[in-house]
Amino acid sequence: MPEQDARSDPPSDRDPSESDPSELDQPGNPSPAGDTWPRLGGEPACLVLVSTPIGNLGDMTARAVTVLKLADIVLCEDSRVTARLLSALGIKARLEPFHDHNEDQRIPRLLEGAKSGQKLALVSDAGTPLMSDPGYRLVRAVVAAGLVVTAIPGPNAAVTALALSGLPPHPYLFLGFPPARGAARRTAFASLRAAEAAGLSASMVWYESPHRIAEMLGDLLTVFGDRPAALARELTKHFEEVRRGSLSTLIAGTAADPPRGEITVVLGPPDAAQPQVGEDHAESLDARLRVELERSRLREAVAIVAAETGLPRRQVYARALILTGEAKNQD
């Protein structure tokens, strides 16, 4: 058998029916490169979602710059943040704040403007719009109105952290920011743990702030066990760092060297050998209840442990009453 030419391309599992790179930027394809406003099927887009850098200005694409230059209105979370970005790029644009508190109020006026030919661009403070940022309701309204919406892809902290984590990249769940309150956060984690008992096996990705990261990691350890994880911070910036290891290792590292900046946490999927929720013995239920009762009210503790174990809430509540009674008697 002849030796394969070292210069030849490696085998590809790409569907031959898919378009190849030579077909990009051809007339009729969405948003061709150049100083033109994006079009789909010959129709100009009414709304363009524009991804912006998550730290490194060099990640701003030429198409993104073009759209922001040509937009009649640039909708943004914080006009001060976006103004600094546009100034650094030498772009002058009309900015309008667009966030969770005014989104519903502004959508009707924006739709009327789009119908009359206004070109709208939407950006978040950093990264890909709608990913833990406002804009979903606007996109839904534009689509419902039969108007054209498209996107300029670009940086995303969650996907970047997942790629750097060393953990299985797919399937994965992006979950945004976890609840700020401890009991609500543990309840949310417990629901995911219960989903794993039903067969879910995926890496999970969250954003978190520096002042809550220690508590979040502790709750992950309590609910999911000591499984592999990664903590990524300041992605694409000068102080970019990715910490990898078990949750207990990350917790120790966080205590010794508290991370700063914008943080993304990736939790690996459950190990096949890890005991599944619902297989725990009564001792394990008691242990979880004791831990949760020390830091949560009775009803909150019951809700968290019931969600995590998949056991009937009434059963968990009855056991919790017994444990609290025993604790009072010991006192």
Side-chain angles (χ1 to χ4, degrees):
M1 182 175 180
E3 185 176 341
Q4 183 178 3
D5 187 344
R7 295 170 297 175
S8 63
D9 293 330
S12 172
D13 57 3
R14 186 168 167 273
D15 187 339
S17 66
E18 296 177 357
S19 61
D20 61 52
S22 65
E23 296 172 345
L24 298 178
D25 295 344
Q26 296 299 315
N29 280 333
S31 304
D35 293 331
T36 57
W37 184 257
R39 305 175 70 90
L40 270 73
E43 292 292 323
C46 296
L47 172 66
V48 183
L49 313 179
V50 182
S51 297
T52 56
I54 58 177
N56 193 314
L57 188 62
D59 293 334
M60 190 73 176
T61 69
R63 290 180 63 216
V65 171
T66 294
V67 167
L68 295 179
K69 285 180 177 178
L70 296 178
D72 294 312
I73 301 175
V74 175
L75 304 170
C76 55
E77 286 184 87
D78 188 329
S79 58
R80 295 165 298 181
V81 173
T82 302
R84 288 196 295 270
L85 171 66
L86 298 188
S87 176
L89 295 168
I91 299 173
K92 293 183 179 181
R94 173 185 167 188
L95 301 180
E96 284 195 14
F98 187 79
H99 43 69
D100 289 330
H101 302 295
N102 69 6
E103 188 172 2
D104 286 334
Q105 297 173 347
R106 299 211 169 184
I107 285 176
R109 178 176 60 81
L110 293 171
L111 283 180
E112 287 304 314
K115 289 176 182 178
S116 65
Q118 267 191 340
K119 298 187 288 290
L120 305 178
L122 173 68
V123 300
S124 61
D125 285 348
T128 301
L130 276 68
M131 299 294 100
S132 280
D133 295 318
Y136 162 69
R137 285 172 286 187
L138 176 60
V139 170
R140 184 173 59 182
V142 171
V143 171
L147 303 175
V148 177
V149 58
T150 188
I152 307 298
N156 178 268
V159 173
T160 303
L162 179 63
L164 295 175
S165 68
L167 298 169
H170 56 79
Y172 75 92
L173 292 178
F174 171 61
L175 298 154
F177 282 88
R181 290 182 59 247
R185 184 171 54 241
R186 291 189 294 277
T187 298
F189 290 169
S191 296
L192 293 167
R193 184 74 178 97
E196 289 183 337
L200 174 68
S201 181
S203 294
M204 302 181 194
V205 187
W206 293 269
Y207 295 149
E208 188 54 287
S209 62
H211 68 276
R212 284 198 297 264
I213 188 61
E215 294 179 359
M216 179 204 177
L217 292 176
D219 288 340
L220 286 175
L221 177 63
T222 298
V223 175
F224 292 97
D226 199 13
R227 65 173 67 168
L231 183 157
R233 71 179 191 93
E234 297 293 88
L235 291 171
T236 78
K237 299 179 183 177
H238 180 70
F239 293 104
E240 174 178 301
E241 178 187 19
V242 181
R243 304 181 185 184
R244 305 173 183 87
S246 65
L247 281 170
S248 59
T249 299
L250 294 181
I251 290 171
T254 298
D257 181 18
R260 300 179 182 179
E262 298 173 347
I263 297 173
T264 304
V265 175
V266 184
L267 180 70
D271 189 300
Q274 183 177 358
Q276 293 299 303
V277 181
E279 296 176 357
D280 297 339
H281 299 296
E283 310 89 71
S284 298
L285 172 61
D286 287 0
R288 280 294 296 115
L289 276 170
R290 288 192 177 97
V291 169
E292 206 54 55
L293 286 167
E294 288 180 358
R295 54 187 179 183
S296 305
R297 297 177 181 177
L298 177 63
R299 291 185 180 278
E300 291 177 335
V302 169
I304 292 168
V305 176
E308 179 185 340
T309 60
L311 294 172
R313 190 163 181 161
R314 184 176 299 176
Q315 177 182 342
V316 177
Y317 185 73
R319 189 58 192 163
L321 289 178
I322 293 173
L323 293 177
T324 52
E326 291 177 354
K328 289 179 180 178
N329 291 335
Q330 290 176 357
D331 293 341

